PDB file of all heavy atoms in Angstrom:
ATOM      1  N   LEU A  22       6.366  -4.848  -7.495  1.00 91.00           N
ATOM      2  CA  LEU A  22       6.632  -6.164  -8.069  1.00 91.00           C
ATOM      3  C   LEU A  22       5.672  -7.251  -7.667  1.00 91.00           C
ATOM      4  O   LEU A  22       5.245  -8.035  -8.513  1.00 91.00           O
ATOM      5  CB  LEU A  22       8.063  -6.570  -7.785  1.00 91.00           C
ATOM      6  CG  LEU A  22       9.212  -5.686  -8.273  1.00 91.00           C
ATOM      7  CD1 LEU A  22      10.507  -6.199  -7.801  1.00 91.00           C
ATOM      8  CD2 LEU A  22       9.136  -5.576  -9.766  1.00 91.00           C
ATOM      9  N   ILE A  23       5.329  -7.328  -6.419  1.00 90.00           N
ATOM     10  CA  ILE A  23       4.537  -8.463  -5.941  1.00 90.00           C
ATOM     11  C   ILE A  23       3.036  -8.250  -6.129  1.00 90.00           C
ATOM     12  O   ILE A  23       2.315  -9.157  -6.569  1.00 90.00           O
ATOM     13  CB  ILE A  23       4.905  -8.757  -4.465  1.00 90.00           C
ATOM     14  CG1 ILE A  23       6.359  -9.194  -4.412  1.00 90.00           C
ATOM     15  CG2 ILE A  23       4.011  -9.844  -3.901  1.00 90.00           C
ATOM     16  CD1 ILE A  23       6.929  -9.389  -3.054  1.00 90.00           C
ATOM     17  N   ILE A  24       2.518  -7.077  -5.809  1.00 90.00           N
ATOM     18  CA  ILE A  24       1.119  -6.852  -5.912  1.00 90.00           C
ATOM     19  C   ILE A  24       0.579  -6.938  -7.333  1.00 90.00           C
ATOM     20  O   ILE A  24      -0.436  -7.576  -7.567  1.00 90.00           O
ATOM     21  CB  ILE A  24       0.710  -5.514  -5.233  1.00 90.00           C
ATOM     22  CG1 ILE A  24       0.897  -5.596  -3.716  1.00 90.00           C
ATOM     23  CG2 ILE A  24      -0.723  -5.101  -5.603  1.00 90.00           C
ATOM     24  CD1 ILE A  24       0.599  -4.367  -2.947  1.00 90.00           C
ATOM     25  N   PRO A  25       1.287  -6.408  -8.386  1.00 93.00           N
ATOM     26  CA  PRO A  25       0.812  -6.666  -9.731  1.00 93.00           C
ATOM     27  C   PRO A  25       0.749  -8.133 -10.137  1.00 93.00           C
ATOM     28  O   PRO A  25      -0.195  -8.527 -10.848  1.00 93.00           O
ATOM     29  CB  PRO A  25       1.786  -5.888 -10.600  1.00 93.00           C
ATOM     30  CG  PRO A  25       2.321  -4.866  -9.723  1.00 93.00           C
ATOM     31  CD  PRO A  25       2.404  -5.463  -8.362  1.00 93.00           C
ATOM     32  N   VAL A  26       1.696  -8.905  -9.641  1.00 92.00           N
ATOM     33  CA  VAL A  26       1.659 -10.321  -9.992  1.00 92.00           C
ATOM     34  C   VAL A  26       0.485 -11.014  -9.283  1.00 92.00           C
ATOM     35  O   VAL A  26      -0.206 -11.834  -9.881  1.00 92.00           O
ATOM     36  CB  VAL A  26       3.018 -10.982  -9.555  1.00 92.00           C
ATOM     37  CG1 VAL A  26       2.911 -12.501  -9.664  1.00 92.00           C
ATOM     38  CG2 VAL A  26       4.135 -10.467 -10.375  1.00 92.00           C
ATOM     39  N   LEU A  27       0.189 -10.648  -8.025  1.00 90.00           N
ATOM     40  CA  LEU A  27      -0.965 -11.188  -7.323  1.00 90.00           C
ATOM     41  C   LEU A  27      -2.253 -10.762  -8.023  1.00 90.00           C
ATOM     42  O   LEU A  27      -3.213 -11.560  -8.125  1.00 90.00           O
ATOM     43  CB  LEU A  27      -0.987 -10.737  -5.887  1.00 90.00           C
ATOM     44  CG  LEU A  27       0.066 -11.367  -4.979  1.00 90.00           C
ATOM     45  CD1 LEU A  27       0.018 -10.750  -3.588  1.00 90.00           C
ATOM     46  CD2 LEU A  27      -0.158 -12.837  -4.906  1.00 90.00           C
ATOM     47  N   ILE A  28      -2.369  -9.536  -8.522  1.00 92.00           N
ATOM     48  CA  ILE A  28      -3.518  -9.087  -9.230  1.00 92.00           C
ATOM     49  C   ILE A  28      -3.660  -9.892 -10.561  1.00 92.00           C
ATOM     50  O   ILE A  28      -4.785 -10.334 -10.876  1.00 92.00           O
ATOM     51  CB  ILE A  28      -3.469  -7.588  -9.506  1.00 92.00           C
ATOM     52  CG1 ILE A  28      -3.618  -6.797  -8.209  1.00 92.00           C
ATOM     53  CG2 ILE A  28      -4.552  -7.169 -10.540  1.00 92.00           C
ATOM     54  CD1 ILE A  28      -3.405  -5.343  -8.337  1.00 92.00           C
ATOM     55  N   LEU A  29      -2.577 -10.145 -11.263  1.00 94.00           N
ATOM     56  CA  LEU A  29      -2.618 -10.914 -12.459  1.00 94.00           C
ATOM     57  C   LEU A  29      -3.077 -12.351 -12.184  1.00 94.00           C
ATOM     58  O   LEU A  29      -3.943 -12.863 -12.878  1.00 94.00           O
ATOM     59  CB  LEU A  29      -1.231 -10.924 -13.131  1.00 94.00           C
ATOM     60  CG  LEU A  29      -1.098 -11.766 -14.367  1.00 94.00           C
ATOM     61  CD1 LEU A  29      -1.897 -11.125 -15.529  1.00 94.00           C
ATOM     62  CD2 LEU A  29       0.342 -11.944 -14.745  1.00 94.00           C
ATOM     63  N   ILE A  30      -2.552 -12.937 -11.136  1.00 90.00           N
ATOM     64  CA  ILE A  30      -2.922 -14.338 -10.847  1.00 90.00           C
ATOM     65  C   ILE A  30      -4.360 -14.443 -10.385  1.00 90.00           C
ATOM     66  O   ILE A  30      -5.157 -15.237 -10.919  1.00 90.00           O
ATOM     67  CB  ILE A  30      -1.930 -14.936  -9.807  1.00 90.00           C
ATOM     68  CG1 ILE A  30      -0.573 -15.100 -10.398  1.00 90.00           C
ATOM     69  CG2 ILE A  30      -2.445 -16.265  -9.273  1.00 90.00           C
ATOM     70  CD1 ILE A  30       0.505 -15.484  -9.416  1.00 90.00           C
ATOM     71  N   THR A  31      -4.726 -13.678  -9.360  1.00 89.00           N
ATOM     72  CA  THR A  31      -6.065 -13.815  -8.773  1.00 89.00           C
ATOM     73  C   THR A  31      -7.160 -13.075  -9.544  1.00 89.00           C
ATOM     74  O   THR A  31      -8.311 -13.402  -9.384  1.00 89.00           O
ATOM     75  CB  THR A  31      -6.070 -13.352  -7.341  1.00 89.00           C
ATOM     76  OG1 THR A  31      -5.701 -11.970  -7.317  1.00 89.00           O
ATOM     77  CG2 THR A  31      -5.140 -14.185  -6.463  1.00 89.00           C
ATOM     78  N   GLY A  32      -6.778 -12.054 -10.320  1.00 92.00           N
ATOM     79  CA  GLY A  32      -7.829 -11.302 -11.007  1.00 92.00           C
ATOM     80  C   GLY A  32      -8.003 -11.594 -12.460  1.00 92.00           C
ATOM     81  O   GLY A  32      -9.034 -11.348 -13.057  1.00 92.00           O
ATOM     82  N   VAL A  33      -6.976 -12.237 -13.096  1.00 94.00           N
ATOM     83  CA  VAL A  33      -7.088 -12.555 -14.533  1.00 94.00           C
ATOM     84  C   VAL A  33      -6.913 -14.032 -14.791  1.00 94.00           C
ATOM     85  O   VAL A  33      -7.771 -14.680 -15.408  1.00 94.00           O
ATOM     86  CB  VAL A  33      -6.031 -11.728 -15.339  1.00 94.00           C
ATOM     87  CG1 VAL A  33      -6.078 -12.085 -16.808  1.00 94.00           C
ATOM     88  CG2 VAL A  33      -6.251 -10.254 -15.104  1.00 94.00           C
ATOM     89  N   LEU A  34      -5.802 -14.618 -14.386  1.00 93.00           N
ATOM     90  CA  LEU A  34      -5.499 -16.010 -14.758  1.00 93.00           C
ATOM     91  C   LEU A  34      -6.428 -17.023 -14.114  1.00 93.00           C
ATOM     92  O   LEU A  34      -6.860 -17.961 -14.778  1.00 93.00           O
ATOM     93  CB  LEU A  34      -4.018 -16.318 -14.408  1.00 93.00           C
ATOM     94  CG  LEU A  34      -2.996 -15.478 -15.121  1.00 93.00           C
ATOM     95  CD1 LEU A  34      -1.621 -15.853 -14.665  1.00 93.00           C
ATOM     96  CD2 LEU A  34      -3.123 -15.581 -16.616  1.00 93.00           C
ATOM     97  N   MET A  35      -6.776 -16.844 -12.874  1.00 91.00           N
ATOM     98  CA  MET A  35      -7.673 -17.812 -12.204  1.00 91.00           C
ATOM     99  C   MET A  35      -9.098 -17.702 -12.702  1.00 91.00           C
ATOM    100  O   MET A  35      -9.754 -18.726 -12.996  1.00 91.00           O
ATOM    101  CB  MET A  35      -7.614 -17.631 -10.697  1.00 91.00           C
ATOM    102  CG  MET A  35      -6.305 -18.185 -10.085  1.00 91.00           C
ATOM    103  SD  MET A  35      -6.227 -17.946  -8.283  1.00 91.00           S
ATOM    104  CE  MET A  35      -7.672 -18.757  -7.732  1.00 91.00           C
ATOM    105  N   PRO A  36      -9.713 -16.480 -12.858  1.00 91.00           N
ATOM    106  CA  PRO A  36     -11.085 -16.410 -13.384  1.00 91.00           C
ATOM    107  C   PRO A  36     -11.205 -16.949 -14.795  1.00 91.00           C
ATOM    108  O   PRO A  36     -12.226 -17.508 -15.200  1.00 91.00           O
ATOM    109  CB  PRO A  36     -11.436 -14.946 -13.272  1.00 91.00           C
ATOM    110  CG  PRO A  36     -10.545 -14.391 -12.228  1.00 91.00           C
ATOM    111  CD  PRO A  36      -9.290 -15.170 -12.296  1.00 91.00           C
ATOM    112  N   LEU A  37     -10.160 -16.790 -15.619  1.00 93.00           N
ATOM    113  CA  LEU A  37     -10.209 -17.272 -17.020  1.00 93.00           C
ATOM    114  C   LEU A  37      -9.912 -18.776 -17.102  1.00 93.00           C
ATOM    115  O   LEU A  37     -10.041 -19.370 -18.157  1.00 93.00           O
ATOM    116  CB  LEU A  37      -9.233 -16.487 -17.882  1.00 93.00           C
ATOM    117  CG  LEU A  37      -9.582 -15.025 -18.105  1.00 93.00           C
ATOM    118  CD1 LEU A  37      -8.523 -14.363 -18.908  1.00 93.00           C
ATOM    119  CD2 LEU A  37     -10.906 -14.890 -18.786  1.00 93.00           C
ATOM    120  N   GLY A  38      -9.504 -19.399 -15.986  1.00 91.00           N
ATOM    121  CA  GLY A  38      -9.240 -20.812 -16.026  1.00 91.00           C
ATOM    122  C   GLY A  38      -7.855 -21.173 -16.529  1.00 91.00           C
ATOM    123  O   GLY A  38      -7.576 -22.394 -16.768  1.00 91.00           O
TER     124      GLY A  38
END
Side-chain angles (χ1 to χ4, degrees):
L22 298 177
I23 296 174
I24 290 179
V26 172
L27 288 175
I28 291 172
L29 177 69
I30 291 171
T31 60
V33 177
L34 299 178
M35 286 178 57
L37 292 176

